[in-house]
């Protein structure tokens, strides 16, 4: 079909069944029983006529070019209107070349790297037949008990928005480019606030909190041109997002002007029944179509009910037509009518995926995400020392996280392999000592004997990758199994010992902090993980990563996040009065937002501000001098925070409003400047008005959210 198709004319020719079909998304099996594809949710009996398959609008879970081409060809042969299918898949942080999980990638604070990884992902995906990815996930997170924090970029709305926009640009570029894929921001909205960190649990928050903290990152993605939105499973203000007209029509479509397709999450329309806001599929269909959800993922309430609902005058025909038009418009914009197969090319995909160029990029990006949490001077290791790698992750290739798409263990560099590549296998011995989550200590002796052979020891610990991500909440955040006992056994050898953590969420590691001289947070670093960690371990790359989600002192402290509030009885050291504190733990997290160490040291001095007052048309400049006073060149992320001392609502103790990554050689220094604008001082007041208020402000600049220099100014309106 010609690209210059008139979709309004096409709509006029479509039967109501053909219109409803465009709202239907199915897995590959329905088109060709030999095509399994990726199934990422519960399968229910769709109870639909076979001929509806050849009217459906999109496919979820096709993961290779040949299947996509076969299915598109079968469909176009059998379909009456020949409207090409759109192929969608979860490509979250890499397709075949897997990059660090988003919570790790965010620790790079490097937006160019984020865009680059999205670009590489788009190339691999589009060659492999994927046309839409359900990414970026822009849910703000404050609770590491929730398994999906690994998909998020963390606890700050501003930084989350910057990363979401960068990833959208990397995926989509301009949609005329043959290797672009359509981005779908998710999960709209507030999924990261599930109560008690329990997956699929209730979400409840004030409209103020929703708008001030949870919505900005989705908006930033849409402002960057993101073409699709996925509705969340959870309720907002008492109504599940998938049926929530306030969220979808009032905010997303009317306030923000988004006119692209909204897709449900897997079965989230059907789940309106379980939520108890719909008595049956018919009521679920009414709620969802009136909320403006266009595509129903893997359930059939729309195709089984909309025709009758429209004939009975219960649902307006225009709602169906609008939904179909949004889908047709995206297909037309993406050039699908002109070329239903886009860039799908089996041979080229095989040649391009995981090529050396992409591996190199993955290695460089992964090295930027590894956070040095502690170093009593034993790192970097010396390359001429014999190292024993001990622990369940010692030679584990399962380090690409839970949403690893087509990432393959046999293409992944384990920690052991990475260190052998770096210093030679003759200087490396290895023993697991225990399983990740097992209770068996029988191999401790073997591990201890292997460790005795070495000069230095590297403990490879953490979570199992498939015990993170969706449907993977944990109530305890300590290392699983007997890993901590293994640590104690190894430390008795009194050798220089470092820990490398492989995990998908901030863990409770205060006991490691107390007894282990060095700790590296590697997250799930992906295909080139072992090589990237070796770069850091042996000092060929100076660690520069900074946390974007707080590490709690203990699970009982959650939620703990940096942009919290003063309260009416703020805690202060040694205060005898009843104040906001615990009797048994500190208020502060173990490691705060923005934290990370380097092999060198950066000194901050001379914070200045260009003037003490500004009005709303003006700007002012805040500056600070940063000097590398250590023995190694390195990258420093200079962080700008602002506090509004008095507002019409309570205002956070600090909010990230900017950052600058600078590279300083030994002894070098640089004056870093930030422009402060009134726009940076705006917030949603109690009524939801987004505006700045006159008053006193603090500017804080430093290396993390706990170590800052401060200067004040006044805004006059
Ligand atoms: C899952 C996830 C969502 C994903 C979708 C399709 O349940 O919630 O993030 O994109 O289903 O796999």
């Amino acid at each position: 079909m010609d690209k210059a198709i008139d979709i309004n004319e096409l709509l006029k020719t479509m039967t109501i069944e053909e219109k409803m079909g465009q709202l239907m998304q199915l897995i590959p099996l329905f088109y060709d029983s030999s095509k399994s594809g990726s199934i990422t949710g519960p399968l229910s009996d769709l109870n639909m006529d076979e001929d509806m398959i050849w009217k459906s609008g999109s496919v979820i879970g096709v993961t290779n070019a040949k299947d996509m081409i076969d299915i598109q060809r079968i469909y176009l042969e059998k379909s009456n209107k020949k409207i090409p299918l759109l192929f969608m898949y979860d490509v979250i942080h890499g397709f075949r070349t897997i990059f660090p999980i988003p919570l790790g990638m965010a620790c790079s604070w490097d937006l160019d790297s984020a865009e680059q990884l999205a670009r590489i992902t788009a190339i691999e995906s589009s060659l492999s037949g994927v046309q839409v990815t359900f990414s970026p996930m822009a849910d703000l997170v404050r609770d590491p008990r929730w398994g999906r924090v690994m998909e998020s970029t963390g606890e700050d709305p501003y930084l989350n928005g910057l990363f979401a926009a960068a990833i959208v640009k990397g995926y989509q570029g301009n949609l005329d480019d043959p290797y672009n894929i359509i981005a779908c921001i998710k999960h709209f909205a507030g999924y990261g606030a599930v109560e008690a960190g329990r997956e699929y649990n209730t979400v409840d928050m004030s409209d103020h909190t929703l708008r001030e903290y949870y919505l900005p990152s989705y908006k930033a993605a849409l402002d960057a041109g993101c073409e699709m939105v996925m509705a969340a499973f959870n309720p907002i203000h008492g109504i599940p997002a998938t049926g929530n007209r306030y969220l979808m029509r009032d905010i997303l479509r009317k306030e923000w002007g988004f006119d692209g397709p909204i897709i449900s999450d897997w079965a989230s329309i059907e789940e309106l029944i379980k939520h108890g806001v719909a008595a049956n599929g018919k009521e679920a269909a009414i709620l969802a179509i009136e909320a403006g959800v266009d595509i129903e993922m893997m359930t059939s309430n729309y195709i089984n009910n909309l025709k009758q609902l429209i004939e009975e005058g219960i649902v307006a025909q225009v709602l169906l037509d609008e939904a179909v038009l949004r889908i047709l418009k995206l297909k037309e914009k993406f050039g699908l009518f002109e070329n239903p197969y886009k860039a799908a090319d089996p041979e080229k995909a095989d040649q391009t995926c995981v090529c050396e160029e992409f591996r190199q990029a993955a290695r460089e990006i992964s090295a930027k995400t590894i956070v040095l949490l502690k170093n009593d001077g034993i790192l970097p290791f010396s390359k001429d020392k014999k190292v024993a790698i001990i622990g369940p992750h010692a030679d584990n290739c399962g380090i690409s996280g839970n949403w690893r798409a087509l990432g393959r263990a046999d293409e992944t560099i384990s920690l052991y392999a990475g260190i052998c590549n770096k210093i030679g296998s003759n200087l490396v011995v290895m023993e697991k000592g225990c399983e990740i989550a097992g209770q068996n200590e029988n191999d401790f002796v073997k591990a201890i004997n292997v460790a005795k052979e070495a000069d230095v020891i590297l403990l490879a610990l953490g979570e199992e990758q498939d015990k993170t991500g969706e449907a993977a909440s944990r109530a305890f955040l300590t290392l699983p199994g007997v890993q901590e006992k293994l640590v104690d056994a190894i430390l008795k050898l009194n050798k220089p010992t470092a820990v490398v953590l492989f995990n998908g969420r901030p863990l409770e590691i205060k006991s490691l902090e107390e007894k282990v001289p060095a700790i590296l947070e590697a997250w799930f670093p992906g295909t080139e993980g072992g090589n990237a960690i070796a770069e850091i371990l042996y000092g060929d790359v100076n660690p520069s990563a900074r946390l974007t989600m707080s590490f709690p002192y203990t699970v009982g402290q959650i939620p703990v996040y940096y942009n919290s509030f003063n309260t009416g009885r703020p805690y202060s050291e040694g205060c005898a009065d009843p104040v906001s504190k615990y009797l048994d733990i500190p208020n502060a997290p173990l490691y705060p937002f923005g934290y990370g160490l380097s092999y060198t040291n950066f000194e901050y001095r001379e914070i200045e501000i260009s003037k003490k007052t500004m009005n709303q048309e003006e700007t002012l400049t805040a500056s600070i001098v940063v000097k590398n006073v250590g023995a190694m060149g390195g990258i420093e992320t200079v962080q700008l925070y602002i506090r509004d001392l008095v507002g019409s609502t309570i205002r956070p103790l600090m909010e990230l409003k900017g950052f600058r990554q600078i590279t300083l050689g030994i002894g070098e220094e640089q004056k870093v400047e930030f422009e402060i604008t009134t726009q940076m001082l705006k917030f949603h007041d109690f009524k939801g008005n987004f505006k700045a208020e006159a008053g006193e402000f603090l500017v804080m600049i430093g290396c993390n959210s706990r170590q800052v220099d401060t200067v004040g100014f006044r805004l006059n309106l």
Side-chain angles (χ1 to χ4, degrees):
M1 195 174 277
D2 183 347
K3 177 181 178 180
I5 185 170
D6 182 332
I7 55 174
N8 290 292
E9 287 308 311
L10 174 57
L11 183 75
K12 290 174 186 167
T13 69
M14 293 170 73
T15 66
I16 191 161
E17 287 78 11
E18 288 166 340
K19 291 178 181 178
M20 293 192 299
Q22 283 300 306
L23 279 51
M24 180 80 220
Q25 180 172 93
L26 298 171
I27 55 175
L29 278 172
F30 285 86
Y31 303 91
D32 178 335
S33 56
S34 68
K35 313 278 184 200
S36 59
S38 164
I39 296 175
T40 53
L43 287 179
S44 62
D45 171 14
L46 296 184
N47 180 30
M48 58 182 248
D49 300 335
E50 156 103 11
D51 69 350
M52 280 308 289
I53 294 171
W54 312 109
K55 299 181 173 72
S56 57
S58 57
V59 189
I60 175 174
V62 170
T63 59
N64 68 78
K66 182 182 181 311
D67 284 359
M68 180 267 194
I69 292 166
D70 290 351
I71 290 173
Q72 189 76 289
R73 186 176 295 127
I74 302 166
Y75 178 87
L76 292 174
E77 281 165 9
K78 294 196 172 191
S79 156
N80 174 31
K81 280 294 182 304
K82 314 247 177 270
I83 300 169
L85 290 165
L86 206 47
F87 289 81
M88 307 189 187
Y89 182 46
D90 293 282
V91 193
I92 309 302
H93 53 99
F95 179 78
R96 181 87 175 275
T97 303
I98 306 300
F99 297 90
I101 57 171
L103 193 61
M105 180 277 296
C107 293
S108 70
W109 290 57
D110 183 340
L111 303 173
D112 293 339
S113 289
E115 187 169 342
Q116 183 192 11
L117 75 82
R119 185 92 292 273
I120 291 170
T121 300
I123 293 167
E124 292 192 347
S125 301
S126 56
L127 286 171
S128 305
V130 175
Q131 297 167 340
V132 178
T133 177
F134 299 126
S135 168
M137 184 269 219
D139 303 335
L140 183 130
V141 291
R142 293 172 166 173
D143 191 333
R145 292 171 295 182
W146 190 47
R148 301 193 76 165
V149 300
M150 52 76 66
E151 291 176 69
S152 167
T153 47
E155 68 191 46
D156 181 74
Y158 165 75
L159 193 59
N160 288 352
L162 292 176
F163 274 113
I167 290 167
V168 166
K169 286 176 197 148
Y171 287 149
Q172 290 186 175
N174 57 12
L175 285 181
D176 289 340
D177 179 314
Y179 302 118
N180 283 345
I181 56 175
I182 293 164
C184 176
I185 194 73
K186 69 185 184 184
H187 305 78
F188 198 71
Y191 185 12
V194 285
E195 277 183 5
R198 198 181 83 220
E199 183 59 288
Y200 311 126
N201 201 5
T202 296
V203 167
D204 198 13
M205 65 178 76
S206 69
D207 203 57
H208 171 72
T209 297
L210 175 69
R211 289 175 177 276
E212 190 63 5
Y213 299 98
Y214 288 86
L215 291 187
S217 50
Y218 308 114
K219 180 71 166 55
L222 296 176
D223 290 347
C226 185
E227 297 283 354
M228 280 182 65
V229 173
M230 180 184 289
F233 289 119
N234 55 278
I236 285 288
H237 301 351
I239 299 176
T242 306
N244 190 317
R245 294 179 58 163
Y246 170 68
L247 198 57
M248 296 301 178
R249 287 217 184 265
D250 296 349
I251 296 178
L252 184 56
R253 293 210 187 279
K254 285 181 194 148
E255 274 185 48
W256 293 1
F258 176 67
D259 192 34
I262 300 173
I263 186 169
S264 77
D265 201 334
W266 188 293
S268 67
I269 291 179
E270 181 88 8
E271 289 173 9
L272 295 173
I273 301 169
K274 291 200 177 75
H275 274 289
V277 292
N280 50 46
K282 184 179 288 192
E283 289 184 11
I286 295 168
L287 274 177
I289 197 78
E290 289 189 347
V293 175
D294 302 311
I295 300 175
E296 178 168 14
M297 187 189 292
M298 276 306 291
T299 50
S300 52
N301 298 286
Y302 278 175
I303 59 167
N304 287 337
N305 294 291
L306 281 181
K307 180 177 181 181
Q308 186 184 353
L309 287 165
I310 289 168
E311 287 168 350
E312 292 170 358
I314 296 170
V315 168
Q317 168 84 38
V318 67
L319 292 184
L320 174 60
D321 290 348
E322 284 172 353
V324 176
L325 272 178
R326 285 189 283 261
I327 296 163
L328 295 181
K329 195 160 75 175
L330 182 61
K331 291 184 175 182
E332 197 277 329
K333 186 175 181 180
F334 189 55
L336 218 49
F337 290 104
E338 187 182 20
N339 172 11
Y341 305 94
K342 295 296 287 179
D345 182 330
E347 290 71 36
K348 201 166 178 188
D350 283 346
Q351 292 158 9
T352 309
C353 288
V354 205
C355 63
E356 188 45 41
E357 178 197 342
F358 291 175
R359 276 189 174 274
Q360 178 62 32
R363 191 176 316 146
E364 288 168 7
I365 291 171
S366 294
K368 292 176 181 177
T369 68
I370 297 165
V371 190
L372 181 59
L373 295 176
K374 181 180 180 183
N375 185 21
D376 287 353
I378 67 164
L379 292 183
F381 281 163
S382 165
K383 291 175 183 173
D384 61 359
K385 296 292 184 191
K386 188 165 190 174
V387 60
I389 311 174
I390 306 293
H393 274 291
D395 192 23
N396 184 4
C397 290
I399 54 174
S400 293
N402 175 266
W403 287 106
R404 54 187 176 275
L406 276 289
R408 295 179 192 169
D410 63 4
E411 293 178 337
T412 303
I413 305 297
S414 71
L415 178 60
Y416 174 74
I419 292 177
C420 290
N421 292 340
K422 178 64 70 178
I423 65 170
S425 55
N426 58 318
L427 284 175
V428 189
V429 290
M430 185 263 298
E431 184 60 51
K432 282 173 61 174
C434 69
E435 296 304 322
I436 290 174
Q439 293 305 317
N440 184 332
E441 302 177 26
N442 298 341
D443 288 345
F444 279 20
V445 172
K446 250 198 306 186
I448 291 164
N449 291 336
V450 166
K452 283 176 179 171
E453 296 170 29
D455 305 309
V456 297
I457 300 168
L458 186 58
L459 284 162
L461 310 172
E463 296 182 289
E464 203 281 316
Q465 65 181 354
D466 288 326
K467 295 289 189 294
T468 69
E470 185 171 359
S473 293
R474 289 177 63 194
F476 297 101
L477 295 180
T478 46
L479 283 168
V482 294
Q483 294 182 57
E484 297 231 17
K485 290 182 179 175
L486 178 64
V487 172
D488 293 338
I490 293 295
L491 288 177
K492 289 190 178 113
L493 299 175
N494 289 318
K495 289 176 183 264
T497 302
V499 162
V500 177
L501 289 172
F502 295 85
N503 45 302
R505 72 188 92 207
L507 295 176
E508 180 177 327
I509 56 171
K510 67 181 182 305
S511 68
L512 292 183
E513 160 67 23
E514 287 158 0
K515 60 194 174 186
V516 178
I519 303 171
L520 274 177
E521 174 54 79
W523 305 107
F524 287 115
T527 305
E528 281 289 320
N531 284 333
I533 296 168
E535 297 271 82
I536 297 283
L537 267 176
Y538 288 94
D540 289 341
V541 172
N542 187 354
S544 60
R546 301 288 181 265
L547 295 177
T548 63
M549 187 176 183
S550 305
F551 271 58
Y553 184 83
T554 176
V555 70
Q557 193 181 55
I558 293 167
V560 60
Y561 46 92
Y562 89 94
N563 46 353
S564 58
F565 302 95
N566 203 30
T567 79
R569 295 190 176 187
Y571 169 75
S572 59
E573 192 71 34
C575 176
D577 300 333
V579 292
S580 180
K581 69 172 185 181
Y582 299 97
L583 295 179
D584 50 0
I585 62 168
N587 286 5
L590 184 66
Y591 301 118
F593 176 85
Y595 173 83
L597 301 177
S598 168
Y599 290 145
T600 190
N601 291 303
F602 296 101
E603 192 179 77
Y604 286 68
R605 67 176 202 275
E606 296 169 25
I607 187 167
E608 289 177 351
I609 201 159
S610 57
K611 51 189 174 188
K612 283 301 208 186
T613 61
M614 80 176 209
N615 64 38
Q616 56 188 338
E617 289 77 37
E618 295 174 320
T619 65
L620 58 79
T621 301
S623 66
I624 199 161
V625 176
V626 184
K627 182 173 184 177
N628 181 345
V629 295
M632 194 175 184
I635 296 171
E636 175 69 333
T637 301
V638 183
Q639 300 161 33
L640 168 73
Y641 298 91
I642 290 182
R643 179 181 180 182
D644 181 351
L645 285 170
V646 178
S648 56
T649 66
I650 54 173
R651 306 286 292 120
L653 290 165
M654 59 191 334
E655 296 177 280
L656 181 73
K657 293 293 182 183
F659 60 92
R660 193 91 79 253
Q661 285 195 318
I662 60 174
T663 301
L664 293 176
I666 299 169
E668 289 182 349
E669 66 178 45
Q670 184 176 328
K671 184 175 185 178
V672 179
E673 297 187 342
F674 295 95
E675 185 181 52
I676 310 293
T677 65
T678 301
Q679 183 66 22
M680 295 159 98
L681 311 180
K682 291 184 177 178
F683 69 101
H684 295 88
D685 69 12
F686 185 69
K687 296 187 180 67
N689 304 309
F690 189 61
K691 61 183 178 46
E693 296 174 352
E696 303 295 330
F697 291 81
L698 297 181
V699 171
M700 294 162 271
I701 306 176
C703 59
N704 64 61
S705 59
R706 192 180 286 168
Q707 293 170 268
V708 290
D709 292 339
T710 301
V711 68
F713 73 94
R714 176 173 180 77
L715 172 69
N716 292 322
L717 294 182

